[in-house]
Amino acid sequence: MYKILEVKELTTNIFSMVVEAPRVAKSCLPGQFVIVRTNEDSERIPLTICDYDRNAGTITIVFQIVGAGTEFMSKLKAGDSFHDFVGPLGCASELVTDEVEVTSKKKILFVAGGVGTAPVYPQVKWLHEHNIDADVIVGSKTKDLLILEDEMKAVAGNLYVTTDDGSYGRSGMVTNTIQDLVNEGNKYDVCVAIGPMIMMKFVCKLTKELGIPTIVSLNPIMVDGTGMCGACRVTVGDKVKFACVDGPEFDGHLVNFDEAMKRQTIYKTAEGRAFLAAKEGDTHHGGCGNCK
Ligand code: NAD
Ligand code: FES
């Protein structure tokens, strides 16, 4: 069992939790995620790691209520426990696994959209701890929905907040601010965009035009988190990839976002899953290599 030490409602329907999970905290790196289950028979919920404290043996997760599983999670209090807390899963961000000298030479722009601010935070924090200051754009629909502003301010080189309705910071979507920063003369070697799929699609469209290589972090539906079920299948370039084991980060200019968004919708029903399994055949899931 994994004890919840602290619960905070960051804004409407978005919560953070500090969870005692020493083995995950010991080895996780920015970019990785966990899969949690509240009870033995609950839904498996993938969540990106927002922060970790190796000494305290804790992990901070951030989640939004999007269905029954996350609604149930939001009712948990400090002192309650998760039945499962599996991780760290997926590959760590390339920015933290590359040589620090290599990363430190890069001018990095992070683009965080809504709840996607949570997985951006540990990357920016890690860079800051290694004396690398990155520019960060955080976009939110309105001022009230903005999360982790103070935390991000403490670790970002420059923080640009933008709201779709102009209620706080700059006005408009994150893509407007990217364009403004470039127009103002900023040059970026790499952009990391994390947020809703539609945001990542349009950020990538723009950064492709601007010639800025872009990494995205995909969070499609995940079930097993081991490449076996096919839930998180995506096409990157001409290759089939599984976000849980090959990602979650990919070259955003190669991701087929339209297919990924369509597939997510189809995957939600049993009929849709059967359709995808038939259509995708042997490439439907990664498999363990022994199942044939
Ligand atoms: P949101 O809808 O409030 O969007 C956040 C920001 O993204 C907006 O403020 C805007 O600046 C930008 N954006 C949205 N649509 C855009 C477009 N068409 N063009 C340019 N910019 C655009 O975000 P939310 O409600 O917090 O998003 C929830 C979604 O984020 C869920 O679907 C969830 O699955 C996803 N999410 C993704 C990750 C990840 O790792 N990729 C992590 C957490 C949540
Ligand atoms: Fe099952 Fe990725 S979650 S293949």
Side-chain angles (χ1 to χ4, degrees):
M1 301 293 269
Y2 300 85
K3 196 169 169 190
I4 299 166
L5 302 180
E6 188 186 301
V7 182
K8 271 194 228 163
E9 185 165 8
L10 301 178
T11 182
T12 314
N13 289 338
I14 304 178
F15 295 80
S16 76
M17 279 181 181
V18 179
V19 182
E20 206 171 59
R23 271 181 294 177
V24 183
K26 195 174 165 190
S27 57
C28 69
L29 282 171
Q32 293 186 294
F33 66 98
V34 290
I35 291 187
V36 306
R37 278 199 307 176
T38 43
N39 296 313
E40 201 176 355
D41 54 357
S42 321
E43 178 190 351
R44 295 159 62 87
I45 303 175
L47 297 165
T48 29
I49 294 169
C50 174
D51 204 358
Y52 53 87
D53 183 329
R54 298 207 201 284
N55 294 329
T58 58
I59 296 285
T60 305
I61 50 173
V62 170
F63 65 94
Q64 183 176 35
I65 300 179
V66 289
T70 40
E71 164 85 38
F72 186 76
M73 255 177 79
S74 72
K75 306 274 186 271
L76 298 174
K77 302 271 175 284
D80 291 339
S81 296
F82 283 104
H83 185 275
D84 288 345
F85 198 89
V86 180
L89 297 169
C91 307
S93 163
E94 167 182 310
L95 292 175
V96 311
T97 53
D98 278 351
E99 295 287 323
V100 175
E101 295 82 66
V102 174
T103 306
S104 67
K105 292 197 176 79
K106 293 181 178 164
K107 177 83 176 148
I108 306 164
L109 174 65
F110 283 89
V111 181
V115 196
T117 308
V120 166
Y121 173 70
Q123 299 200 26
V124 181
K125 182 179 172 188
W126 188 96
L127 293 173
H128 179 71
E129 287 167 353
H130 291 78
N131 300 315
I132 304 168
D133 282 337
D135 283 1
V136 181
I137 300 172
V138 173
S140 127
K141 284 193 195 81
T142 68
K143 180 178 193 292
D144 295 347
L145 293 175
L146 186 64
I147 58 167
L148 304 172
E149 185 188 7
D150 291 340
E151 290 83 350
M152 199 66 96
K153 207 178 270 170
V155 294
N158 295 297
L159 175 64
Y160 306 92
V161 174
T162 179
T163 49
D164 299 3
D165 66 354
S167 52
Y168 186 61
R170 296 176 177 229
S171 179
M173 296 203 175
V174 290
T175 36
N176 298 349
T177 303
I178 298 173
Q179 186 68 65
D180 289 347
L181 292 178
V182 169
N183 291 348
E184 288 160 21
N186 292 285
K187 292 195 182 345
Y188 295 103
D189 299 305
V190 61
C191 170
V192 180
I194 310 183
M197 201 81 92
I198 191 75
M199 178 202 95
M200 295 190 283
K201 173 185 164 169
F202 282 100
V203 167
C204 288
K205 187 171 178 288
L206 176 62
T207 56
K208 202 169 183 178
E209 286 161 22
L210 296 171
I212 308 171
T214 299
I215 299 166
V216 294
S217 178
L218 301 182
N219 76 328
I221 296 169
M222 289 190 191
V223 181
D224 62 342
T226 64
M228 303 280 284
C229 70
C232 68
R233 184 187 188 276
V234 286
T235 307
V236 182
D238 55 359
K239 296 196 172 63
V240 169
K241 299 279 180 188
F242 296 91
C244 64
V245 287
D246 300 317
E249 294 194 349
F250 295 103
D251 178 340
H253 293 169
L254 297 180
V255 171
N256 186 335
F257 287 104
D258 291 335
E259 180 196 77
M261 288 188 277
K262 197 166 153 202
R263 195 178 185 280
Q264 289 296 281
T265 310
I266 299 173
Y267 199 87
K268 284 181 184 153
T269 65
E271 196 188 1
R273 289 192 287 280
F275 167 77
L276 290 169
K279 182 172 159 242
E280 294 166 356
D282 284 349
T283 69
H284 179 61
H285 58 74
C288 60
N290 296 316
C291 57
K292 286 188 186 158

